[in-house]
Amino acid sequence: MRYPSRSGLRLGALLFFVLLICGSVTGAVASPGNGQTDESTAVQASFPRAAHPSNTQLASPEIERRVQALLEKMTLAEKIGQLMQYNDQGSSAPTAADADSAIAVNPETRDHVDAYELAKKGELGSMLNVIGAEKTRRFQEAAMHSRLGIPILFGADVIHGYRTIYPVPLGLSASWDPQLVQELSRMSATEATTAGVKWFYSPMVDISRDARWGRSTEGAGEDAYLGSAMARAYIHGYQGDDLSRPDSVAASVKHFAAYGAAEAGREYNTTDMSDIRLRQVYLPPYKAAVEAGAATMMSSFNALNGVPATADPYLMDEILRREWGFNGFVVSDYTAVMELTHHGIALDAATATRKALEAGVEVDMMSHYYDTQIPKLLDNHQMPMSVVDEAVRRVLRVKFALGLFEHPYARGDEVVRAVDAHRPLVRRAAEESFVLLKNGGDDGAALLPFASSVKKVALIGPLADSAGEMQGAWGGAQHQPDVVTVRNGLAARLEKNGGELLYAKGTDIDGSSTDGFAEAKRMAAQADVVVMALGESASMSGEAGSRAHLDLPGNQQQLLQEITATGKPVVLLVFSGRPLVLDWASQHVPAIMEVWFPGTEAGSAIAATLFGDVSPSGKLTMSFPRAVGQEPLYYNQFPTGRPAGDADLGKPPEGSTRFISRYIDVPNDALYPFGHGLSYTTFAYSGVSLSRAKLPLSEANQSGANQLVKVTATVKNTGKREGTEVVQAYVRNLGASVEQPVRSLKGFQRVTLKPGESRQVSFELGIPELSFYNSHSRQVIESTHYTVWVGGSSLATEHVDFDVTP
Ligand code: BGC
């Protein structure tokens, strides 16, 4: 084991808190050290320690007193019950692999569990995905009438809405609007708490740089800085500033950690990376969520550097609890404790249980291991009772903080359908999520928004009239009749204009029949313009939705080509939970808009955008590749010793253009890069400047220095209509002890400008923006040279430079 086990660390943790009380531990979390022992690098002797617990509400002495009093009354079975989680079927849900697994899962875990009976005995701490106030009440009443009356915590996968559905998180991140994310999160908490759900398995903050990975749809994309901003927004929205509010829910930040780095984009696959990459790219959003007070975390399925995350003390004890001061609890992912045997690091259920618990997984989701194995481990003296007690304490703290003991049941009128009052917000979210990738044909003239002369629109494609697909991978407790389809939205908008909508499905999402092509072409022939609604089904992304091909599924590409060949102007709406390869479309289709899975108000938001009631403002948060072989593809790559320079990578290599870091058959860059997105107006940047050209290292290294250099730029609306631009600031750092990415996002702001209007925007750069991890895994600033760009995408050209001086 690389690090001492959690039980072994307990004494250390105690000492830490004693020191804390005595005022001896002061440094900020992961702040750079001050001693200069390695060139200009600050190196610390050990990992930094959190200065305080991450969630102050959970650390309240009053809660601690109540937890302790309750714990003293609990039997072993009641304690273990708090660490168990089942759904209402109570099945232990073994995976298909069990049947022929060489390493057999303990047969006793195959038993069906009667969740209701467990609740009655006070031996069921939490439940997952029990939907509806009536159902949660039945289980809760049973628990409340048990010996100690400890309430059940009901958790659910409310990920982009409960009944009123908003865009999938990847789409939502394209809004670059954390305030919007916070409002939506609160809205969904308001809805779900009326059904008794007080815990969301959200946000998923896994960084995803590989479009093949289906769960890209559930996160905020490829960038750590944006991902962190979004993570904070979700936590503030779900938990508010008081977990005990009737409409607050506890968040479960998932999947800890680095699940998004699955090799080859294949779901549940292993991950392997340097500590620098882990800390610089993958951990920041989880850390941001913990700092924002996240009450719980979910451990991930994958192994990281050879250790399954669900049994990894480095992740859950060293980093999460000791470095970040996390004082909530960790739940395993679905059967992840049992899967430790499949990973081959536990030969039996007891060992899997011990490893997970000691690493820091307090709650066993569906494995049926903790309840069957903990008693044996205690009897055999393979685990001390203190490990169980500590886990129970952590769970109870969250329940007390949520006010569950006082208010165990659903409150208010149950929300069972999409809420009309919530429609404007989810519609705005959809509008902000759309990314206009291209707008102009061979003649360069913009096709969107539609001119008022456009009266006949042909809507073609398998996503045009599908309510179910609009709701995306985790469409909550959806009710399809609530959804405005593209067909309905466009028909209503055209009726207002005195126009007409023609419709043909054309083909199925994954179909091979061309029977519908003729009808689609007939519709196109009669129309002024064609809108094609093509892409993936909702279930092609999300969990277990990895794809090796990233083109339009089925024969949709063929349909697109045949309709484009009619010569009618085509707008392609792309529905997908990930970046797709749109190479052909980018060359032949005049207008392309990525609309993800927009949610309940899909059709109204799309119609409003196509007709120019609103201008698109979304910007990509994942790079769109030219070919699948470029994956994983992300903008903030490291440099190489053989950069492509100004070689034309669009041409096959020849002479000096061969032995450079490149492909021989496709350019290196993204077809549509991170941060890209067009508007119906245009923006120009000028006057990028800095508050200072030199920053002394001694000043940069002061703990908590968050405003060291200010970068300012002017952005102007140079077009003819109002629009919103996402202004982005990128940083590069040259001359450090370890190489740094070619550029990294370090600031962004949404700015709405009238035609001709200018605005100065500024970004403060401090330790979070200027620091990086060195080869000792320390977060440092060194005396190096920085370049800062400000612009409308990761290709921003306006820049300015400064130095951190020794
Ligand atoms: C997923 C989690 C989800 C859990 C409960 C798992 O399979 O990976 O994201 O929260 O199931 O439904």
Side-chain angles (χ1 to χ4, degrees), residues 128-129 157 159 201 215 218 254-255 259 268 298 301 333-334 365 474 543:
L128 78 149
N129 294 339
D157 288 297
I159 288 166
Y201 304 126
R215 301 201 85 164
E218 298 175 44
K254 65 192 191 185
H255 307 82
Y259 183 35
Y268 313 127
M298 186 184 290
F301 288 125
D333 203 344
Y334 202 104
M365 182 193 284
W474 291 99
E543 185 171 357

Side-chain angles (χ1 to χ4, degrees), residues 661-686:
S661 178
R662 64 169 296 174
Y663 300 100
I664 59 174
D665 51 1
V666 72
N668 290 354
D669 62 347
L671 176 63
Y672 296 116
F674 179 84
H676 169 76
L678 304 173
S679 160
Y680 293 156
T681 186
T682 47
F683 300 95
Y685 288 85
S686 61

